[in-house]
Amino acid sequence: MSIWRVILSIICPPLAVIDKGCGSIIIVFLLWPFGWVPGVIAALVIINNPNN
């Protein structure tokens, strides 16, 4: 996980997970409008997942 990806997940979470698949983008995109914090947390969890 690079520092640029972390910064991008704080600014715009859906863009940070764009290479992780359609499901990840949809999940983060749905969480992001309901509150900025859930979207950021979901993006960071998806980025930190070693299986992806």
Side-chain angles (χ1 to χ4, degrees):
M1 177 170 58
S2 69
I3 189 71
W4 300 113
R5 180 90 41 155
V6 172
I7 292 170
L8 188 60
S9 70
I10 292 171
I11 296 170
C12 185
L15 290 179
V17 296
I18 200 145
D19 65 340
K20 300 295 183 181
C22 183
S24 299
I25 296 170
I26 291 171
I27 290 170
V28 173
F29 191 75
L30 289 176
L31 285 173
W32 188 36
F34 289 115
W36 176 72
V37 174
V40 171
I41 291 173
L44 290 173
V45 167
I46 291 171
I47 291 170
N48 264 340
N49 189 358
N51 295 332
N52 286 339

